[in-house]
Amino acid sequence: MSYLLHIDSSALGESSVSRRVARSFREGWGGEVVHRDLAAAPVPHISAAGITARVTDPAHYSDEQSAAAALQDELIAEFLGAGAYLFTVPMYNLSMPSVFKAWLDQIIVSGRTFRPSPAAGRPAVLISARGGSYGPGAPNHGFDYVVPTLEAVLGREELLGLDVTAVVPELTMAPDTPALAELVPIHEASMSDAHARARELAATIAITTAA
C-alpha cells in the first residue's frame, strides 16, 4: 500500500473541526501518511516564473524559474507518489482557504498531472467543515463554492480525475452563537455522522488500496 497524502489547510490548528474529523480518518487508516500542513508551511502562490518555467527549456531557466520549477517538481512528485488522498479544506468566506488554492495551482500542470492524469481513479476524501448549512432547504443553499469546486477540480476526468468523496460537518458556529442555539442538535448529529463516515472511508480505502 502506497502512502496517504494528507493536505491540511485550516488556520485554526487544534481548534479546527476539519482537522478533528481528519484525525478520525487517520486513526482508521493504519498505513503510511505523508502530511503537508499548508497553514504551518504555506507554499507560495503561483508566479510568472512558475508559469513560464513549464514551457521553457530548463537549460534557459532564470534563477527564479529554477527555484519555481524545483518547488513544482517536489509537490508533483509528492502528489503522484500517493495511493490515496485526504484533503482538509474548511469553508472560508464561501470558498477554500487561499493556501489550498495556492497548492492546487502549483501541482496542476498539463501533461504531468492532467491531460492525462496519472492519478486518475485514486480515492480522495475531502473534509470541509463550515459554520452554517448550505444543503437543500437551507437559506444559504447554492452558496457553497468549496465542495462543488473541488469535486470538479479534483474529480473531473479531464483534470486530476480522482475518485472524490466529501465529508461535510456543518453548523460549527451553532454551539457558540446564541442565535443558532436551536440548531445545536443538528450540528451535533452532523459531527457524529462526519466522524463515523471518516472512519468508515478510511477502513474501506485502506483495504482497496492494499489489494
Side-chain angles (χ1 to χ4, degrees):
M1 176 169 53
S2 57
Y3 60 80
L4 172 77
L5 178 60
H6 180 191
I7 303 294
D8 252 328
S9 63
S10 173
L12 289 178
E14 295 302 309
S15 299
S16 164
V17 169
S18 295
R19 287 178 186 256
R20 294 204 297 269
V21 175
R23 281 200 294 274
S24 287
F25 184 98
R26 292 271 300 265
E27 288 166 2
W29 173 251
E32 181 183 357
V33 177
V34 172
H35 181 212
R36 184 175 286 272
D37 188 339
L38 298 175
V43 300
H45 290 277
I46 194 72
S47 64
I51 294 171
T52 57
R54 298 173 180 179
V55 293
T56 300
D57 184 336
H60 299 135
Y61 278 171
S62 67
D63 291 343
E64 290 80 7
Q65 287 174 318
S66 293
L71 173 63
Q72 290 179 37
D73 288 346
E74 174 190 347
L75 296 174
I76 289 171
E78 183 177 78
F79 174 76
L80 293 179
Y85 304 89
L86 176 61
F87 301 113
T88 310
V89 190
M91 177 185 282
Y92 287 175
N93 300 314
L94 304 183
S95 188
M96 71 190 79
S98 64
V99 290
F100 191 79
K101 181 61 165 60
W103 177 81
L104 282 175
D105 290 340
Q106 294 286 1
I107 64 116
I108 296 179
V109 180
S110 181
R112 298 185 67 183
T113 56
F114 77 105
R115 295 182 184 165
S117 171
R122 297 178 191 174
V125 174
L126 167 64
I127 297 174
S128 181
R130 58 274 320 280
S133 179
Y134 295 81
N140 289 323
H141 178 55
F143 287 92
D144 178 357
Y145 299 107
V146 182
V147 172
T149 299
L150 291 180
E151 286 178 334
V153 174
L154 299 170
R156 285 179 64 107
E157 183 178 349
E158 60 270 34
L159 290 171
L160 297 180
L162 304 179
D163 182 8
V164 181
T165 301
V167 177
V168 184
E170 294 192 314
L171 293 164
T172 62
M173 293 177 62
D176 302 310
T177 306
L180 300 178
E182 65 181 18
L183 300 177
V184 168
I186 300 174
H187 159 69
E188 291 174 343
S190 176
M191 289 297 300
S192 178
D193 289 346
H195 283 286
R197 183 64 172 144
R199 287 189 288 267
E200 175 189 355
L201 286 167
T204 300
I205 292 171
I207 292 170
T208 58
T209 56

